[in-house]
């Protein structure tokens, strides 16, 4: 077990309106390591869809680096992560305690149904992430920046129920239930040498994004071509009553929306601070992409039980999203020219 509660680290909460628990937990880990989460998580922008890969978890993300969420979220920084599963049923917390003893925070997958501080407690099953920063004889100390934010102890028994949950199918949440938790957790390695967010690094990141957006789509659906393939598939699914494909828009789109929101904020604030209007305006355009995801995701969420009836509205939101991406990519090119 870890040290007494008085010796526990202070874990700062970090959140933004458009992000999920995935970015929030990684943000807390990065801040704990002394880095600005926005500089790290907001630097990269792309569109990526892996057909058949979407899972019913709030933290689903289509990884460019297989199995490594951190490297996929922040490819321009020395960060990496790995999934693990604690399999010692008699002392499952030992795996987490061992990580904490090395001074590393742990990100644990949990089921909201069993967490006393979540609004879904005792009501709705849903796969979620939170940060574990301490364990003592009676409590597990957790940090959750997603509203309503919470940091503090919860009874060991509650944590174990949440962390070990089967997360069964729940009619109240068609998007994040039906995905076993099974004592999964993430370890995150944060390198010692972090690059400074200057013009050179921003230019490098924009070059990478522009290459991805203008490149061909093969395997993973990437760039503007991949976006078109994805949206065409969704609209065809609606017209042919393919409810499952329409439903997947909601969990899949959250990762793309979150990344767009963070990248847009980074460009807008950096461009304002450094007095580079083209970068500031590119940020505004990328933030527009994030907001257009809301319309498509919410329409798909409400429309998937009867997708044919939602087809017209889905097409409207899909076209708006497509246009927003095209404008934002043009803005990105102008921003790159200004650096």
């Amino acid at each position: 077990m870890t040290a007494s509660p008085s010796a526990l680290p202070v874990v700062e909460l970090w959140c933004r309106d458009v992000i999920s628990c995935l970015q929030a937990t990684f943000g807390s880990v990065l801040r704990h390591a002394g880095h600005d989460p926005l500089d790290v998580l907001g630097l990269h922008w792309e569109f990526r869809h892996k057909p058949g890969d979407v899972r019913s978890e709030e933290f689903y993300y289509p990884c460019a680096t297989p199995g490594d969420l951190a490297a996929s979220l922040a490819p321009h920084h020395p960060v990496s992560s790995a999934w693990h599963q604690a399999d010692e049923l008699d002392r499952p917390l030992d795996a987490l305690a061992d990580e904490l003893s090395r001074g590393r925070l742990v990100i644990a997958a949990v089921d909201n149904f069993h967490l006393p501080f979540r609004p879904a407690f005792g009501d709705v099953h849903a796969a979620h992430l939170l940060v574990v920063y301490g364990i003592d004889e009676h409590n597990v100390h957790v940090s959750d920046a997603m509203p309503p934010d919470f940091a503090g102890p919860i009874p060991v028994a509650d944590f174990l129920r949440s962390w070990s949950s089967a997360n069964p199918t729940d009619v109240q949440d068609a998007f994040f239930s039906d995905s076993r938790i099974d004592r999964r957790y993430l370890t995150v390695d944060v390198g010692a040498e972090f690059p400074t967010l200057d013009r050179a690094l921003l230019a490098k990141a924009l070059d990478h994004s522009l290459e991805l957006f203008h490149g061909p789509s093969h395997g993973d659906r990437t760039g503007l071509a991949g976006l078109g393939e994805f949206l065409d598939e969704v609209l065809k699914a609606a017209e042919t009553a393919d409810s499952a494909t329409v439903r997947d828009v909601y969990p899949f789109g959250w990762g793309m929306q979150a990344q767009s929101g963070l990248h847009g904020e980074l460009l807008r604030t950096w461009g304002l601070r450094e007095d580079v209007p083209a970068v500031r305006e590119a940020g505004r355009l990328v933030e527009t992409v994030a907001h257009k995801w809301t319309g498509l995701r919410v329409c798909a969420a409400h429309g998937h039980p009867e997708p044919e009836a939602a087809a017209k509205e889905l097409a409207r939101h899909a076209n708006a999203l497509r246009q927003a991406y095209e404008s934002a990519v043009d803005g990105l090119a102008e921003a790159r020219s200004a650096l």
Side-chain angles (χ1 to χ4, degrees):
M1 295 297 174
T2 61
S4 65
S6 62
L8 293 174
V10 175
V11 179
E12 295 185 52
L13 302 174
W14 187 81
C15 193
R16 293 294 191 274
D17 285 345
V18 297
I19 69 175
S20 77
C21 58
L22 173 62
Q23 293 81 17
T25 50
F26 274 92
S28 291
V29 170
L30 287 165
R31 176 169 278 184
H32 185 68
H35 305 294
D36 185 334
L38 183 62
D39 285 357
V40 182
L41 299 175
L43 188 57
H44 178 57
W45 187 47
E46 66 173 325
F47 176 85
R48 183 176 300 272
H49 177 255
K50 293 175 174 286
D53 185 58
V54 181
R55 296 180 296 279
S56 54
E57 300 167 335
E58 184 180 327
F59 44 88
Y60 169 74
Y61 190 82
C63 289
T65 303
D68 193 332
L69 283 165
S72 299
L73 291 167
H76 304 293
H77 289 83
V79 293
S80 63
S81 63
W83 279 106
H84 310 272
Q85 181 177 13
D87 56 6
E88 294 295 332
L89 296 181
D90 55 339
R91 296 181 59 87
L93 290 177
D94 284 357
L96 304 188
D98 182 58
E99 294 294 332
L100 296 173
S101 69
R102 304 180 202 175
R104 289 155 53 115
L105 301 179
V106 181
I107 298 174
V110 289
D111 178 358
N112 281 333
F113 185 92
H114 300 289
L115 294 175
F117 60 88
R118 295 300 307 177
F121 180 53
D123 184 24
V124 182
H125 291 278
H128 183 57
L129 294 178
L130 49 70
V131 174
V132 177
Y133 63 92
I135 302 171
D136 58 48
E137 184 179 355
H138 303 290
N139 298 297
V140 177
H141 299 258
V142 302
S143 168
D144 187 350
M146 297 301 289
D149 56 73
F150 173 85
I154 61 173
V156 166
D158 287 331
F159 178 82
L160 288 176
R161 278 191 289 269
S162 183
W163 190 40
S164 304
S165 174
N167 189 28
T169 301
D170 192 323
V171 295
Q172 297 183 89
D173 194 329
F175 312 104
F176 306 125
S177 63
D178 191 27
S179 177
R180 298 186 66 88
I181 305 300
D182 287 343
R183 303 175 309 284
R184 285 180 287 154
Y185 64 98
L186 278 162
T187 54
V188 184
D189 290 313
V190 180
E193 299 295 328
F194 255 58
T196 301
L197 181 55
D198 55 15
R199 284 180 179 244
L201 180 59
L202 184 57
K204 174 187 173 184
L206 294 185
D207 283 339
H208 185 218
S209 292
L210 287 167
E211 181 181 356
L212 288 171
F213 273 110
H214 289 306
S217 173
H218 51 82
D220 291 356
R221 291 169 173 163
T222 56
L224 292 174
L227 171 70
E229 293 172 10
F230 164 73
L231 293 176
D232 289 347
E233 178 184 69
V234 171
L235 298 184
K236 181 179 179 181
E239 294 169 355
T240 58
D242 179 356
S243 177
T245 297
V246 175
R247 181 193 62 218
D248 281 351
V249 171
Y250 188 78
F252 161 71
W254 205 349
M256 297 298 98
Q257 181 175 33
Q259 188 184 63
S260 299
L262 293 177
H263 189 61
E265 181 184 349
L266 180 140
L267 294 180
R268 176 174 50 79
T269 55
W270 191 94
L272 183 63
R273 183 176 67 246
E274 302 297 325
D275 194 23
V276 185
V279 174
R280 181 192 66 218
E281 289 306 301
R284 183 182 63 80
L285 291 169
V286 178
E287 286 180 312
T288 299
V289 171
H291 294 304
K292 294 303 180 183
W293 267 111
T294 297
L296 185 68
R297 291 181 65 224
V298 172
C299 185
H302 287 283
H304 83 271
E306 298 180 10
E308 290 172 296
K312 184 177 180 179
E313 279 298 293
L314 279 170
R316 182 171 70 85
H317 288 297
N319 289 334
L321 181 63
R322 194 192 314 257
Q323 292 170 11
Y325 265 103
E326 291 171 352
S327 295
V329 171
D330 287 343
L332 220 65
E334 292 185 18
R336 176 62 185 91
S337 296
L339 292 175

